[in-house]
Structures are given as C-alpha cells and as structure tokens.
Amino acid sequence: SDLQKQEERGELLQPLIFVLLVLCSILLYFKVSLMDPGFVKPEEEEGEDKGQGVVIPQLPGDIKLRRCGYCLVKQPMRAKHCQQCQHCVRRYDHHCPWLENCVGERNHPLFIVYLSVQLVVLLWGGHVAWSGLYFEQSQEWLQHNIFLLVSFLLILIFTIVVLLLLVSHLYLISCNTTTWEFMSHHRISYLRHSELENPFDQGIILNLWRFFC
C-alpha cells in the first residue's frame, strides 16, 4: 500500500516526530502551569536564615528577612508575594498569564524547556506553511491560499514572541537574576543596599549549571 511505501522511504518519520513534539509541548504546558512554583509554606520558616551567607556573601549583614504583609510568612531571600496566586514564591520570576501560574524556583527550568520545545514546533510549522505557498498576483490564488497565508503570519508572530521570551530568560539566567529583580532593582532592599549591582552573579557557566542542574 501507499502507507507502507511511505514508511519504507522514511516519509512518515518527520510527521511522527512533529506530532510527538506537539504532544511534548502540551504536556510541558500542563506540567508547568499545574505544578507548585515554589510556594513558601509557614512550616518551612525554621532554618530560613541558614545558608544565606554562604550563598550570597556579598550582601550587607544588616539586611534581615521580613514577613510578608499579605500571607504573614517569613520571606526567604529572592521571594515575592504574588497577588494572583495569593502566595509568596521562592526565587520569584514573574506571573505568567498564559500559564495562570507563577514562574519560580521549582518550575523555572521546565518553563525554559517548554519555551524551547514550543519554539522548535513553531519554526517547523512555519517552514511547512511557507513551503506550501507559491505566490501569484491573482484573486483566485488569494482565495485558495488565504488560510495558509494567515496561518503562516500567525506562526511568524508567535515565533517572534517565543524567541524573544526565550532569549531574554536565558540572558537573565546567565546573569543569575530574575525578571522581577531586573525590572524592580531599585525597589528591592537586598539589591538596593548591595555594593554590587548583582550580588548573585557567579559567572555565566556556574549560573547556568546551578540553574539547570
């Protein structure tokens, strides 16, 4: 049959890989959106001060951990209260409206993996849509190709958005900073009173290693 011939020629391998990537992207989306991003729990308060000086020795000693004015837990360094989630989140990066969840200490690496897989899917889909287009200046051509053309333009827009998100996050990770710290540097006490612009930066390689590993 034609299906067997296509399988023998390896023509079914690419569509299969594409479908698996799409399924992987969907599973990653639900995993990142449903998992605990690193909520601070009241029972974890004991021992919060331990190890802070080892991890970030550049910080002044007079900076003390404070209690959150909303949920009343003692906030670890780099944590922030999220108004949407109604929790303090460890190593808070941002609240993602597309995920309806915070991106924090626990799900940030998976969020990067999700963006990477999504980018591959979009680039592949854009390539398929572009390869199906052949341009002619006629009304009939536009009527037959309008759906494919609109699909390609939408894929292009989403590809640019995801690419910019991924690049910006990888840059911040390589500097060992978060979106919240980058945008609100002047409002955060442990950064405002630090002698260094970024007291958490330990070099690109070590920053990436500690984040992903």
Side-chain angles (χ1 to χ4, degrees), residues 1 18 23 33 37 44 52 57-59 62 86 95 102 110 113-115 118 130 132 137 148 151 177 185 193 209 212:
S1 66
F18 181 78
L23 290 175
S33 63
E44 297 174 353
Q52 292 290 345
Q58 303 93 331
L59 291 176
D62 58 345
Q86 294 297 311
H95 183 90
C102 282
L110 270 181
V113 176
Y114 164 69
L115 287 180
Q118 192 66 47
W130 178 260
Q137 293 183 350
L148 198 58
S151 299
T177 190
H185 188 280
H193 296 108
W209 174 263
F212 288 106

Side-chain angles (χ1 to χ4, degrees), residues 98-113:
W98 303 106
L99 296 171
E100 276 299 321
N101 193 15
C102 282
V103 175
E105 183 178 73
R106 293 189 62 188
N107 63 352
H108 200 170
L110 270 181
F111 178 72
I112 298 300
V113 176

Side-chain angles (χ1 to χ4, degrees), residues 25-180:
S25 173
I26 294 171
L27 290 174
L28 282 169
Y29 172 84
F30 284 108
K31 176 67 174 176
V32 177
S33 63
L34 296 176
M35 74 181 295
D36 178 354
F39 294 136
V40 181
K41 299 176 177 61
E43 60 269 19
E44 297 174 353
E45 286 187 17
E46 293 183 6
E48 283 293 352
D49 295 325
K50 295 180 181 179
Q52 292 290 345
V54 177
V55 178
I56 38 178
Q58 303 93 331
L59 291 176
D62 58 345
I63 294 180
K64 298 179 181 179
L65 301 183
R66 67 183 185 87
R67 286 199 176 274
C68 174
Y70 297 96
C71 54
L72 302 179
V73 298
K74 183 181 284 187
Q75 286 184 337
M77 192 72 69
R78 312 188 79 178
K80 182 184 181 297
H81 184 86
C82 174
Q83 297 282 8
Q84 288 84 358
C85 294
Q86 294 297 311
H87 282 285
C88 286
V89 180
R90 294 176 179 274
R91 202 182 183 277
Y92 175 86
D93 189 86
H94 71 285
H95 183 90
C96 181
W98 303 106
L99 296 171
E100 276 299 321
N101 193 15
C102 282
V103 175
E105 183 178 73
R106 293 189 62 188
N107 63 352
H108 200 170
L110 270 181
F111 178 72
I112 298 300
V113 176
Y114 164 69
L115 287 180
S116 302
V117 174
Q118 192 66 47
L119 181 61
V120 172
V121 171
L122 287 168
L123 288 172
W124 196 333
H127 171 71
V128 172
W130 178 260
S131 64
L133 288 171
Y134 59 95
F135 294 97
E136 293 180 5
Q137 293 183 350
S138 66
Q139 186 71 23
E140 185 179 352
W141 176 88
L142 187 61
Q143 289 176 351
H144 284 88
N145 292 272
I146 185 65
F147 177 76
L148 198 58
L149 187 60
V150 171
S151 299
F152 173 76
L153 292 176
L154 286 174
I155 290 173
L156 181 62
I157 292 170
F158 285 123
T159 300
I160 293 171
V161 172
V162 172
L163 179 61
L164 290 175
L165 267 175
L166 182 60
V167 170
S168 63
H169 274 276
L170 288 175
Y171 169 74
L172 293 175
I173 292 165
S174 68
C175 300
N176 197 0
T177 190
T178 64
T179 303
W180 173 58

